[in-house]
Amino acid sequence: MDLFLVVFFLIQFIRQRLNTALVYKEWDKKLLLARSIAIGLIVAFWIFNKSQLVQWLSYPLVAYILYVIHKEKDFESIRSTVQSLYPYVIVSFLGDCFELVAATQYKSYRNYFELAKGFSFLWMLALWFNFRKQQKVLEKEREEQKRKDEENEAKKTSLEYLVAERTQELTIQTIELQRALDELKATQNQLIQSEKMASLGELTAGIAHEIQNPLNFVNNFSEVSVELCQELEEEINKTEIPDADKEYIAGIISDLSQNQQKITHHGKRADSIVKGMLQHSRASSGTKEPTDVNALADEYMRLAYHGLRAKDKEFNATLTTDFDPTIGKVAVMPQDLGRVFLNLFTNAFYAVAEKKRLNKDNPAFANYKPEVKIITKLFGGKLYIRVTDNGTGMPEHVKAKIFQPFFTTKPTGQGTGLGLSMSYDIITKAHEGILDVTSTPGEGTEFKITLPVSLNT
């Protein structure tokens, strides 16, 4: 009977210790079945008046439970505790075997067996009590460790928060420093551009003023010479001179008058160019003015062309214009936009001249004709300007740096690398537009300007 109770409490201990109802549901079903069998055997033991047969049925049940505990890894944590049950089971089994084999002699040794069972039972209780004590200590240690882990986790979370906060502060400071650096670079570029343009403006203004004085004399004296020719012709008509001589003299006077008129015409043209140079040398007012962009582009295209022709008398190029006649006057900064046109046209003429020079001995380029073209178009509240050439073109690595300050592909002394950088700033910052470039090496380049405009008639 007592072995049945041991089996019953052993099953309850296993279910409680391993929490099989939640963790090992399949084992829990088998343990419940074993518990039901143990209860049934207890009931049968009393019904059949403490039948020895029922008593012997408890041993296979106990043996099976102990076998499963030692075989299955799921029960590894309770094996040491269950081992305390061995002495009691062995003593009970030996006593029952001795009683079955020699019942008469068993009566003489019954007290010894009962005493051994008592000691083994006490041994089992002592081990279980010690195990429970150890379990409580372990649970306390686990709780303490859990508390420490929670504290460490809280500290870790706090540290991570502090690190994240500090990282965010450093990121903001980095962004602010980068912004300050960008502003410093932009200011530096503006100072470089202003200094360059100021020097260029002073030089241009000085040259223009020096040219303008003798040019005024040429224009004035040519006009006076035309008037003198007219007076001379009138006086000759009054004088009695043979008709043949009059015709000869009149012819000379007519030729002289035409020459003086041509001098006057080209002198005025030169005067307009000098005035344009003076206007170009002035600092921009930063105020947009109604401007005929077509006329402005045409003027600076010819200025750039004749500027290159002055250096290279053999250079010739086709100047093609495709102006939108519906544009009228557009509000822009004429001095600044003129600088952009001058830079773009100068680069375009340089590219076609360089292509002509590099391939002058190449039969494949015998029919090459340098051409620079400008197209203007007004559409959807935007002014589109395209400056195209059929020159040398640019590879990708050059095109990527073309608007950087001081970057130039021209030989030393022929380019400062500030023209296109200044043009980019004028279009993108001063006019809030877009300046872009497309190029094919060996075929040509196209600069594309897009300006948001308001019309002024």
Side-chain angles (χ1 to χ4, degrees):
M1 174 63 187
D2 51 356
L3 190 58
F4 292 134
L5 294 175
V6 169
V7 172
F8 178 81
F9 286 112
L10 175 62
I11 293 171
Q12 290 299 106
F13 167 77
I14 295 171
R15 295 185 66 241
Q16 183 180 2
R17 180 68 184 84
L18 299 180
N19 194 16
T20 56
L22 295 176
V23 182
Y24 304 107
K25 293 183 179 181
E26 291 298 324
W27 284 118
D28 191 63
K29 293 179 181 178
K30 294 178 181 180
L31 290 171
L32 289 174
L33 177 61
R35 187 182 69 175
S36 299
I37 293 173
I39 294 172
L41 291 174
I42 292 172
V43 174
F45 181 77
W46 288 105
I47 290 175
F48 294 103
N49 194 20
K50 299 181 181 181
S51 170
Q52 290 294 322
L53 178 61
V54 176
Q55 176 77 12
W56 278 99
L57 291 175
S58 64
Y59 289 110
L61 180 60
V62 173
Y64 176 74
I65 293 174
L66 295 177
Y67 170 77
V68 170
I69 290 173
H70 284 80
K71 180 183 176 183
E72 298 297 334
K73 192 174 181 179
D74 295 337
F75 300 98
E76 185 176 4
S77 61
I78 62 171
R79 285 175 189 171
S80 58
T81 306
V82 174
Q83 287 175 359
S84 64
L85 188 62
Y86 289 176
Y88 182 81
V89 174
I90 293 171
V91 170
S92 297
F93 180 73
L94 292 176
D96 288 341
C97 288
F98 188 63
E99 183 180 7
L100 181 63
V101 175
T104 305
Q105 289 81 359
Y106 174 76
K107 292 179 181 181
S108 300
Y109 296 96
R110 182 183 182 88
N111 292 332
Y112 293 104
F113 279 104
E114 292 296 332
L115 183 61
K117 288 176 64 176
F119 276 115
S120 61
F121 185 74
L122 291 175
W123 169 261
M124 179 181 66
L125 291 178
L127 289 179
W128 281 31
F129 177 77
N130 184 56
F131 173 76
R132 291 291 298 171
K133 186 177 180 180
Q134 291 179 351
Q135 285 297 114
K136 289 181 180 179
V137 173
L138 289 174
E139 288 177 359
K140 186 176 180 181
E141 290 178 353
R142 289 194 189 99
E143 291 178 358
E144 183 67 19
Q145 186 63 37
K146 183 178 179 181
R147 184 183 63 79
K148 290 181 180 179
D149 291 342
E150 290 176 352
E151 290 179 356
N152 291 334
E153 186 66 26
K155 290 180 181 179
K156 180 181 177 182
T157 304
S158 178
L159 286 173
E160 288 177 350
Y161 175 77
L162 291 174
V163 170
E165 188 177 32
R166 184 58 180 164
T167 302
Q168 185 177 9
E169 291 177 359
L170 290 174
T171 302
I172 294 173
Q173 291 177 0
T174 302
I175 294 172
E176 290 176 351
L177 288 173
Q178 185 63 41
R179 186 183 297 114
L181 180 61
D182 293 340
E183 291 176 356
L184 182 62
K185 288 181 178 179
T187 303
Q188 182 183 16
N189 291 336
Q190 290 176 358
L191 288 173
I192 293 171
Q193 176 185 329
S194 299
E195 184 65 24
K196 180 68 179 178
M197 293 310 301
S199 301
L200 180 62
E202 292 175 1
L203 177 63
T204 304
I207 294 172
H209 279 296
E210 290 297 324
I211 294 174
Q212 195 169 32
N213 288 330
L215 187 61
N216 287 336
F217 280 104
V218 171
N219 289 334
N220 292 335
F221 279 107
S222 64
E223 291 177 356
V224 171
S225 297
V226 171
E227 293 176 359
L228 290 175
C229 287
Q230 292 175 352
E231 292 178 3
L232 179 60
E233 188 175 4
E234 291 175 357
E235 291 298 326
I236 290 174
N237 290 329
K238 295 177 181 179
T239 305
E240 295 180 358
I241 300 175
D243 291 341
D245 293 338
K246 284 185 178 180
E247 290 179 3
Y248 177 72
I249 295 172
I252 294 174
I253 294 174
S254 176
D255 292 339
L256 183 60
S257 177
Q258 289 179 4
N259 291 340
Q260 295 299 330
Q261 289 175 359
K262 289 181 180 180
I263 292 173
T264 302
H265 172 74
H266 291 290
K268 289 181 179 179
R269 173 59 182 163
D271 184 61
S272 67
I273 293 173
V274 170
K275 288 179 180 178
M277 290 173 64
L278 288 171
Q279 186 179 20
H280 181 72
S281 66
R282 297 192 194 105
S284 173
S285 63
T287 303
K288 293 183 179 181
E289 303 173 7
T291 304
D292 187 341
V293 175
N294 290 341
L296 187 70
D298 184 69
E299 179 181 356
Y300 279 98
M301 186 181 194
R302 301 185 188 283
L303 276 174
Y305 177 67
H306 290 294
L308 187 58
R309 286 266 299 164
K311 297 177 183 178
D312 183 3
K313 299 295 184 181
E314 296 181 358
F315 173 73
N316 284 292
T318 302
L319 280 60
T320 305
T321 59
D322 184 6
F323 294 135
D324 184 352
T326 64
I327 293 177
K329 290 189 176 182
V330 179
V332 294
M333 301 175 192
Q335 291 90 350
D336 290 344
L337 190 58
R339 293 188 182 107
V340 174
F341 283 142
L342 189 60
N343 285 324
L344 296 184
F345 288 131
T346 300
N347 283 317
F349 286 124
Y350 177 84
V352 296
E354 191 70 6
K355 185 174 181 179
K356 181 77 172 178
R357 183 184 68 81
L358 294 174
N359 298 281
K360 61 182 180 180
D361 297 326
N362 190 343
F365 288 87
N367 296 323
Y368 171 67
K369 295 181 180 179
E371 181 183 12
V372 175
K373 183 177 183 180
I374 180 169
I375 303 172
T376 61
K377 185 68 178 178
L378 184 66
F379 179 76
K382 292 184 179 180
L383 176 61
Y384 299 92
I385 303 171
R386 302 289 183 264
V387 177
T388 308
D389 66 71
N390 61 347
T392 55
M394 294 181 289
E396 285 297 323
H397 70 277
V398 172
K399 189 173 71 173
K401 301 177 182 179
I402 197 67
F403 296 121
Q404 293 181 6
F406 301 109
F407 177 81
T408 180
T409 57
K410 296 178 182 178
T412 304
Q414 295 191 30
T416 62
L418 290 172
L420 289 177
S421 173
M422 179 192 68
S423 301
Y424 185 82
D425 288 341
I426 290 173
I427 296 300
T428 59
K429 296 178 181 178
H431 289 83
E432 298 180 349
I434 299 172
L435 175 59
D436 196 10
V437 60
T438 57
S439 183
T440 303
E443 295 185 11
T445 302
E446 181 181 58
F447 285 92
K448 297 176 284 188
I449 300 174
T450 305
L451 299 176
V453 296
S454 56
L455 302 182
N456 292 272
T457 56

PDB file of all heavy atoms in Angstrom, residues 263-276:
ATOM      1  N   ILE A 263      34.271 104.993 -92.834  1.00  0.00           N
ATOM      2  CA  ILE A 263      35.027 105.199 -91.591  1.00  0.00           C
ATOM      3  C   ILE A 263      34.068 105.572 -90.460  1.00  0.00           C
ATOM      4  O   ILE A 263      34.164 105.067 -89.341  1.00  0.00           O
ATOM      5  CB  ILE A 263      36.102 106.294 -91.786  1.00  0.00           C
ATOM      6  CG1 ILE A 263      37.194 105.799 -92.735  1.00  0.00           C
ATOM      7  CG2 ILE A 263      36.719 106.688 -90.434  1.00  0.00           C
ATOM      8  CD1 ILE A 263      38.207 106.875 -93.114  1.00  0.00           C
ATOM      9  N   THR A 264      33.129 106.449 -90.781  1.00  0.00           N
ATOM     10  CA  THR A 264      32.141 106.856 -89.778  1.00  0.00           C
ATOM     11  C   THR A 264      31.300 105.660 -89.318  1.00  0.00           C
ATOM     12  O   THR A 264      31.049 105.474 -88.116  1.00  0.00           O
ATOM     13  CB  THR A 264      31.222 107.945 -90.349  1.00  0.00           C
ATOM     14  OG1 THR A 264      32.019 109.064 -90.757  1.00  0.00           O
ATOM     15  CG2 THR A 264      30.206 108.403 -89.317  1.00  0.00           C
ATOM     16  N   HIS A 265      30.844 104.858 -90.303  1.00  0.00           N
ATOM     17  CA  HIS A 265      29.997 103.700 -89.979  1.00  0.00           C
ATOM     18  C   HIS A 265      30.730 102.719 -89.057  1.00  0.00           C
ATOM     19  O   HIS A 265      30.215 102.302 -88.001  1.00  0.00           O
ATOM     20  CB  HIS A 265      29.564 103.001 -91.267  1.00  0.00           C
ATOM     21  CG  HIS A 265      28.862 101.697 -91.039  1.00  0.00           C
ATOM     22  ND1 HIS A 265      27.550 101.629 -90.568  1.00  0.00           N
ATOM     23  CD2 HIS A 265      29.276 100.404 -91.197  1.00  0.00           C
ATOM     24  CE1 HIS A 265      27.201 100.368 -90.454  1.00  0.00           C
ATOM     25  NE2 HIS A 265      28.232  99.588 -90.832  1.00  0.00           N
ATOM     26  N   HIS A 266      31.944 102.349 -89.463  1.00  0.00           N
ATOM     27  CA  HIS A 266      32.696 101.379 -88.665  1.00  0.00           C
ATOM     28  C   HIS A 266      33.188 101.989 -87.361  1.00  0.00           C
ATOM     29  O   HIS A 266      33.333 101.285 -86.350  1.00  0.00           O
ATOM     30  CB  HIS A 266      33.870 100.830 -89.477  1.00  0.00           C
ATOM     31  CG  HIS A 266      33.438  99.947 -90.613  1.00  0.00           C
ATOM     32  ND1 HIS A 266      32.886  98.687 -90.418  1.00  0.00           N
ATOM     33  CD2 HIS A 266      33.442 100.142 -91.959  1.00  0.00           C
ATOM     34  CE1 HIS A 266      32.599  98.148 -91.582  1.00  0.00           C
ATOM     35  NE2 HIS A 266      32.920  99.012 -92.549  1.00  0.00           N
ATOM     36  N   GLY A 267      33.418 103.276 -87.368  1.00  0.00           N
ATOM     37  CA  GLY A 267      33.796 103.941 -86.127  1.00  0.00           C
ATOM     38  C   GLY A 267      32.664 103.884 -85.112  1.00  0.00           C
ATOM     39  O   GLY A 267      32.886 103.659 -83.920  1.00  0.00           O
ATOM     40  N   LYS A 268      31.437 104.114 -85.599  1.00  0.00           N
ATOM     41  CA  LYS A 268      30.286 104.016 -84.686  1.00  0.00           C
ATOM     42  C   LYS A 268      30.091 102.588 -84.198  1.00  0.00           C
ATOM     43  O   LYS A 268      29.692 102.360 -83.048  1.00  0.00           O
ATOM     44  CB  LYS A 268      29.026 104.519 -85.405  1.00  0.00           C
ATOM     45  CG  LYS A 268      29.025 106.029 -85.632  1.00  0.00           C
ATOM     46  CD  LYS A 268      27.743 106.483 -86.316  1.00  0.00           C
ATOM     47  CE  LYS A 268      27.766 107.999 -86.491  1.00  0.00           C
ATOM     48  NZ  LYS A 268      26.528 108.476 -87.186  1.00  0.00           N
ATOM     49  N   ARG A 269      30.368 101.626 -85.110  1.00  0.00           N
ATOM     50  CA  ARG A 269      30.295 100.224 -84.689  1.00  0.00           C
ATOM     51  C   ARG A 269      31.324  99.945 -83.586  1.00  0.00           C
ATOM     52  O   ARG A 269      31.024  99.311 -82.585  1.00  0.00           O
ATOM     53  CB  ARG A 269      30.537  99.311 -85.900  1.00  0.00           C
ATOM     54  CG  ARG A 269      30.654  97.835 -85.592  1.00  0.00           C
ATOM     55  CD  ARG A 269      29.404  97.292 -84.925  1.00  0.00           C
ATOM     56  NE  ARG A 269      29.563  95.880 -84.604  1.00  0.00           N
ATOM     57  CZ  ARG A 269      28.802  95.216 -83.755  1.00  0.00           C
ATOM     58  NH1 ARG A 269      27.807  95.851 -83.127  1.00  0.00           N
ATOM     59  NH2 ARG A 269      28.993  93.942 -83.522  1.00  0.00           N
ATOM     60  N   ALA A 270      32.524 100.457 -83.806  1.00  0.00           N
ATOM     61  CA  ALA A 270      33.564 100.283 -82.786  1.00  0.00           C
ATOM     62  C   ALA A 270      33.167 100.993 -81.488  1.00  0.00           C
ATOM     63  O   ALA A 270      33.418 100.494 -80.386  1.00  0.00           O
ATOM     64  CB  ALA A 270      34.899 100.809 -83.300  1.00  0.00           C
ATOM     65  N   ASP A 271      32.523 102.142 -81.613  1.00  0.00           N
ATOM     66  CA  ASP A 271      32.087 102.883 -80.432  1.00  0.00           C
ATOM     67  C   ASP A 271      31.051 102.094 -79.640  1.00  0.00           C
ATOM     68  O   ASP A 271      31.068 102.073 -78.404  1.00  0.00           O
ATOM     69  CB  ASP A 271      31.514 104.235 -80.865  1.00  0.00           C
ATOM     70  CG  ASP A 271      31.134 105.093 -79.678  1.00  0.00           C
ATOM     71  OD1 ASP A 271      32.030 105.424 -78.873  1.00  0.00           O
ATOM     72  OD2 ASP A 271      29.941 105.422 -79.538  1.00  0.00           O
ATOM     73  N   SER A 272      30.132 101.430 -80.371  1.00  0.00           N
ATOM     74  CA  SER A 272      29.118 100.615 -79.669  1.00  0.00           C
ATOM     75  C   SER A 272      29.770  99.431 -78.957  1.00  0.00           C
ATOM     76  O   SER A 272      29.353  99.039 -77.852  1.00  0.00           O
ATOM     77  CB  SER A 272      28.070 100.121 -80.663  1.00  0.00           C
ATOM     78  OG  SER A 272      28.626  99.197 -81.579  1.00  0.00           O
ATOM     79  N   ILE A 273      30.823  98.871 -79.586  1.00  0.00           N
ATOM     80  CA  ILE A 273      31.533  97.759 -78.943  1.00  0.00           C
ATOM     81  C   ILE A 273      32.228  98.240 -77.672  1.00  0.00           C
ATOM     82  O   ILE A 273      32.180  97.578 -76.624  1.00  0.00           O
ATOM     83  CB  ILE A 273      32.548  97.129 -79.913  1.00  0.00           C
ATOM     84  CG1 ILE A 273      31.815  96.426 -81.070  1.00  0.00           C
ATOM     85  CG2 ILE A 273      33.459  96.134 -79.190  1.00  0.00           C
ATOM     86  CD1 ILE A 273      32.735  95.920 -82.163  1.00  0.00           C
ATOM     87  N   VAL A 274      32.858  99.420 -77.745  1.00  0.00           N
ATOM     88  CA  VAL A 274      33.529  99.978 -76.573  1.00  0.00           C
ATOM     89  C   VAL A 274      32.524 100.253 -75.459  1.00  0.00           C
ATOM     90  O   VAL A 274      32.765  99.965 -74.278  1.00  0.00           O
ATOM     91  CB  VAL A 274      34.295 101.262 -76.954  1.00  0.00           C
ATOM     92  CG1 VAL A 274      34.797 101.984 -75.697  1.00  0.00           C
ATOM     93  CG2 VAL A 274      35.464 100.928 -77.850  1.00  0.00           C
ATOM     94  N   LYS A 275      31.357 100.798 -75.838  1.00  0.00           N
ATOM     95  CA  LYS A 275      30.316 101.038 -74.827  1.00  0.00           C
ATOM     96  C   LYS A 275      29.840  99.731 -74.206  1.00  0.00           C
ATOM     97  O   LYS A 275      29.555  99.651 -73.002  1.00  0.00           O
ATOM     98  CB  LYS A 275      29.147 101.781 -75.459  1.00  0.00           C
ATOM     99  CG  LYS A 275      29.473 103.233 -75.776  1.00  0.00           C
ATOM    100  CD  LYS A 275      28.285 103.944 -76.425  1.00  0.00           C
ATOM    101  CE  LYS A 275      28.640 105.396 -76.740  1.00  0.00           C
ATOM    102  NZ  LYS A 275      27.512 106.087 -77.409  1.00  0.00           N
ATOM    103  N   GLY A 276      29.755  98.689 -75.054  1.00  0.00           N
ATOM    104  CA  GLY A 276      29.382  97.371 -74.523  1.00  0.00           C
ATOM    105  C   GLY A 276      30.421  96.849 -73.546  1.00  0.00           C
ATOM    106  O   GLY A 276      30.088  96.255 -72.515  1.00  0.00           O
TER     107      GLY A 276
END
